[in-house]
């Protein structure tokens, strides 16, 4: 057995504006993102039509691929946690210890990975599935009734539970393993070295990193798109101005621009301060506010409904998980039940799987960055189970309260009729009345702001890390400013041209090539762990030497 590859040179500029950056990855990524923004603004109808056509083709032909890919992520995480030889391995050198406390680690992981979605979808998604899901389509239960309550939760948990976090865990494990055990650059291409070796120093690796950057920008744009709509709704609720909303009750063009300027301005300033300062403090703040809001809903919301949703819903989710993960609905072209099931799965499960894949390079690299010194088993349990349960608790008490208020007539359709981003404001306003409801709306807006800023500034730092060939050190300020502005431009352009649908479509398209990269990542990781076990048995070193490594 030969020692593992511990040197993967990636060419970077040694002077000029791009000093320290891989010019091919950085410039190509900028050109692709810039072209997308210009195309969407200059030719909105053509852009909308082409993107829609691609989206339809992908959902119709790659639904099975996405479903099986996500199922493989969950299975691989379980194998790595239970495999003794893998679970005890440290993501780093033997003497490395975690940089962050468990609380900060969980806070940053949850905030960057999925936190902002809680404020929109913890209320909105259970309500959607309460009225329509595969059981309703097949006639097993009537939508909008108490009998469909638990069904709504098992499907919500499917989309926000172990599958989502397994995709992040696969990416994070792969990157941390090869960066901190092998001393390779902290970038996407390094995770494929067991398969492609030093060829990743060239064009193959460049393409992989470009795909990761574009997927990251589109995945984060999707999250920010939802957040901007909700932020505008919240600003309107607390009386900042009716001009933020249009006649349809959604964010106006001016409202979108104002929200993006505020969010991206704050996130860029945070990104300039780095992970250990701005991002860490913001993550701790939003975790504290999240606990406060969640505690309020648990104590003063529909507590019994929430408890049922949490425990019974989790039980139904876990026992039905194999079936839900592997079932692929295929239409027959008649417009009947089969077509409706296929349409539902494409609009929900396949869309979510694409979203999590697009988010995975960003969240995975960020998780790797904050997880050095932890074991694989600790990482999997921490990144897979704890955040998933946190999502379940959010969904059960926030969504359960909303459903209960509609069932008992207290809401009288006000929550059902609100836009997705406004549902949580409508619910808390009905619970607390005008004055206290206003105060709670302010807290939710602040919490939303911290989540959005955390997601955006983390994404900017991660994109720069990939562009800088894995360099985690301080990046040139102009590049942070550029990617902050670029991310803002992507969100604004697509929202103004085609609303959230345009962002969703672009994200689904961008996620497809990276889903193949992620499959290769877990194959490479399994191969590396297996071979490292053989190396240990043969007395061959499995980690890099920091005294001789040029990457350290």
């Amino acid at each position: 057995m030969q020692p593992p590859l511990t040197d993967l040179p990636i060419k970077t500029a040694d002077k000029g504006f791009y000093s320290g950056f891989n010019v091919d990855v950085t410039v190509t990524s900028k050109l692709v993102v810039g072209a997308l923004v210009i195309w969407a603004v200059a030719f909105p109808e053509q852009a909308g039509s082409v993107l829609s056509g691609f989206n339809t083709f992908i959902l119709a032909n790659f639904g099975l691929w996405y479903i099986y890919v996500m199922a493989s992520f969950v299975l691989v995480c379980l194998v790595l946690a239970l495999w003794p030889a893998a679970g005890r391995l440290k993501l780093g050198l033997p003497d490395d210890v975690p940089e962050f406390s468990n609380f900060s680690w969980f806070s940053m992981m949850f905030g960057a990975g999925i936190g902002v979605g809680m404020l929109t979808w913890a209320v909105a998604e259970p309500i959607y599935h309460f009225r329509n899901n595969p059981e309703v389509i097949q006639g097993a239960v009537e939508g909008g009734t108490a009998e469909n309550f638990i069904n709504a939760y098992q499907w919500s948990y499917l989309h926000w539970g172990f599958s989502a976090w397994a995709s992040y865990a696969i990416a994070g494990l792969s990157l941390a393993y090869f960066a901190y055990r092998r001393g390779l650059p902290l970038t996407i291409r390094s995770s494929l070295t067991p398969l492609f070796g030093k060829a990743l120093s060239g064009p193959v690796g460049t393409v992989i990193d470009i795909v990761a950057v574009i997927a990251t920008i589109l995945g984060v744009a999707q999250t920010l798109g939802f957040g901007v709509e909700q932020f505008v709704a919240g600003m309107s609720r607390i009386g900042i101005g009716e001009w933020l909303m249009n006649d349809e009750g959604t964010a106006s063009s001016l409202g979108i621009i104002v929200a993006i300027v505020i969010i991206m301005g704050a996130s860029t300033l945070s990104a300039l301060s780095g992970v250990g300062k701005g991002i860490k403090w913001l993550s701790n703040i939003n975790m504290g506010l999240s606990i406060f809001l969640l505690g309020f809903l648990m104590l003063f919301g529909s507590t019994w409904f929430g408890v049922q949703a949490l425990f019974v819903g989790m039980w139904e989710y876990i026992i039905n998980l194999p079936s839900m993960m592997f079932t692929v609905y295929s239409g027959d072209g008649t417009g009947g039940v089969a077509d409706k099931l296929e349409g539902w799965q494409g609009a929900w499960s396949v869309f979510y799987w694409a979203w999590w894949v697009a988010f995975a390079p960003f969240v995975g690299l960020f998780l790797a960055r904050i997880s050095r010194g932890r074991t694989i088993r600790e990482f999997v349990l921490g990144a897979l189970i704890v955040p998933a349960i946190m999502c379940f608790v959010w969904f059960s008490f926030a969504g359960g309260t909303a459903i209960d208020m509609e069932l008992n007539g207290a809401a009288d359709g006000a929550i059902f009729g609100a836009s997705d981003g406004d549902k949580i404001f409508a619910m808390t306003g009905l619970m607390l009345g005008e004055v206290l409801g206003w105060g709670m709306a302010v807290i939710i807006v602040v919490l939303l702001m911290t989540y959005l800023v955390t997601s955006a500034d983390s994404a900017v730092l991660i994109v720069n890390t990939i562009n800088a060939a894995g360099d985690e050190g301080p990046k040139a300020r102009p590049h942070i400013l550029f990617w902050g502005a670029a991310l803002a431009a992507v969100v604004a352009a697509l929202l103004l041209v085609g609303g959230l649908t345009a962002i969703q479509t672009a994200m689904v398209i961008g996620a497809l090539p990276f889903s193949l990269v992620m499959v290769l990542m877990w194959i490479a990781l399994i191969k590396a762990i297996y071979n490292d076990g053989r190396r240990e048995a043969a007395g061959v070193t499995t980690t890099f030497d920091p005294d001789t490594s040029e990457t350290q």
Side-chain angles (χ1 to χ4, degrees):
M1 291 294 298
Q2 295 296 317
L5 177 67
T6 57
D7 181 31
L8 185 68
I10 300 175
K11 184 180 179 181
T12 57
D14 54 8
K15 60 181 179 179
F17 181 72
Y18 288 103
S19 177
F21 286 78
N22 181 281
V23 176
D24 293 337
V25 174
T26 307
V27 173
T28 305
S29 301
K30 288 180 176 180
L31 290 175
V32 172
V33 172
L36 175 62
V37 172
I38 294 171
W39 180 44
V41 173
F43 306 100
E45 292 186 4
Q46 182 192 57
S49 176
V50 172
L51 288 174
S52 179
F54 271 117
N55 185 60
T56 301
F57 174 79
I58 289 173
L59 293 180
N61 295 279
F62 290 91
L64 183 146
W65 164 259
Y66 272 122
I67 288 168
Y68 285 151
V69 162
M70 292 300 288
S72 75
F73 295 159
V74 176
L75 294 177
V76 170
C77 283
L78 291 175
V79 168
L80 291 175
L82 297 174
W83 184 6
R88 63 180 173 79
L89 291 177
K90 184 175 284 190
L91 299 174
L93 300 176
D95 295 333
D96 285 345
V97 295
E99 178 182 357
F100 302 100
S101 68
N102 285 337
F103 182 82
S104 292
W105 186 50
F106 289 133
S107 298
M108 288 190 284
M109 187 162 50
F110 186 74
I114 218 165
V116 67
M118 294 297 94
L119 296 178
T120 300
W121 295 107
V123 178
E125 183 158 348
I127 285 177
Y128 270 109
H129 299 327
F130 177 62
R131 292 186 283 184
N132 188 45
N133 58 57
E135 283 75 19
V136 173
I137 294 172
Q138 295 175 87
V141 66
E142 183 180 352
T145 63
E147 290 75 20
N148 191 43
F149 176 56
I150 296 301
N151 291 330
Y153 274 91
Q154 72 178 39
W155 289 106
S156 298
Y157 292 166
L158 173 69
H159 298 146
W160 293 81
F162 300 144
S163 299
W165 288 95
S167 64
Y168 302 157
I170 291 295
L173 272 176
S174 298
L175 291 164
Y177 192 90
F178 292 102
Y180 300 135
R181 287 184 62 83
R182 302 284 175 83
L184 299 177
L186 184 61
T187 187
I188 305 300
R189 70 175 79 184
S190 296
S191 62
L192 302 185
T193 50
L195 302 179
F196 300 103
K198 289 197 172 183
L200 292 167
S201 292
V204 174
T206 299
V207 171
I208 290 169
D209 282 347
I210 291 170
V211 167
V213 169
I214 294 171
T216 296
I217 292 297
L218 295 178
V220 175
Q222 170 70 49
T223 298
L224 293 179
F226 283 127
V228 163
E229 293 272 353
Q230 188 170 34
F231 185 73
V232 171
M235 296 282 281
S236 178
R237 284 272 180 177
I238 63 178
I240 297 298
E242 293 298 324
W243 51 272
L244 292 167
M245 306 292 286
N246 57 29
D247 294 336
E248 288 76 32
T250 57
S252 66
S253 297
L254 183 57
I256 289 171
I257 293 173
V258 169
I260 289 175
V261 169
I262 294 173
I263 293 165
M264 294 310 302
S267 66
T268 302
L269 291 175
S270 178
L272 288 169
S273 71
V275 175
K277 295 180 181 179
I279 295 176
K280 175 183 175 181
W281 284 106
L282 279 173
S283 298
N284 289 341
I285 290 170
N286 62 38
M287 181 59 77
L289 289 175
S290 296
I291 292 171
F292 169 78
L293 178 57
L294 185 57
F296 165 79
L297 293 172
M298 294 174 72
L299 292 174
F300 301 105
S302 300
T303 305
W304 174 239
F305 243 64
V307 170
Q308 280 185 294
L310 178 60
F311 290 103
V312 181
M314 281 181 60
W315 172 255
E316 292 295 324
Y317 162 66
I318 291 172
I319 63 174
N320 290 306
L321 183 58
S323 173
M324 291 191 295
M325 279 200 312
F326 288 102
T327 297
V328 179
Y329 296 115
S330 299
D332 54 15
T334 63
V337 171
D339 287 337
K340 291 179 181 178
L341 287 171
E342 182 184 42
W344 184 93
Q345 190 172 53
W348 286 100
S349 299
V350 175
F351 162 71
Y352 268 121
W353 299 163
W355 189 3
W356 304 150
V357 166
F359 226 47
F362 148 55
V363 181
L365 206 153
F366 185 73
L367 291 187
R369 167 65 183 82
I370 64 175
S371 301
R372 184 172 188 166
R374 298 184 184 272
T375 66
I376 288 179
R377 183 173 293 110
E378 183 182 8
F379 182 97
V380 170
L381 295 177
L384 184 67
I385 297 177
V386 175
I389 291 176
M390 189 69 176
C391 290
F392 299 159
V393 174
W394 260 104
F395 272 72
S396 60
F397 287 97
T401 298
I403 292 174
D404 188 35
M405 291 175 69
E406 288 289 5
L407 280 175
N408 64 30
D412 195 25
I415 302 175
F416 282 166
S419 65
D420 291 338
D422 198 35
K423 279 181 168 59
I424 191 169
F425 295 107
M427 179 183 72
T428 54
L430 289 169
M431 292 172 63
L432 294 171
E434 185 175 349
V435 177
L436 292 178
W438 179 87
M440 182 60 76
V442 171
I443 292 174
I444 294 173
V445 168
V446 173
L447 176 58
L448 178 64
M449 176 75 173
T450 60
Y451 270 136
L452 289 171
V453 170
T454 302
S455 295
D457 61 11
S458 301
V460 170
L461 285 178
I462 293 312
V463 165
N464 272 303
T465 298
I466 298 173
N467 289 335
D471 177 21
E472 301 174 65
K475 304 299 182 297
R477 295 170 69 91
H479 296 284
I480 292 178
L481 296 173
F482 172 85
W483 284 110
L487 186 54
V490 169
V491 176
L494 293 176
L495 275 178
L496 294 174
V497 168
L500 287 172
T501 302
I503 296 182
Q504 293 169 6
T505 301
M507 181 273 298
V508 169
I509 296 170
L512 184 60
F514 193 71
S515 66
L516 175 60
V517 174
M518 286 197 65
V519 170
L520 296 176
M521 287 173 80
W522 71 250
I523 293 173
L525 180 62
I526 294 290
K527 180 180 179 180
I529 293 173
Y530 173 73
N531 283 337
D532 277 356
R534 295 175 60 205
R535 290 186 179 100
E536 286 186 350
V540 178
T541 183
T542 61
T543 58
F544 75 105
D545 183 352
D547 295 327
T548 60
S549 174
E550 296 180 356
T551 63
Q552 184 71 5

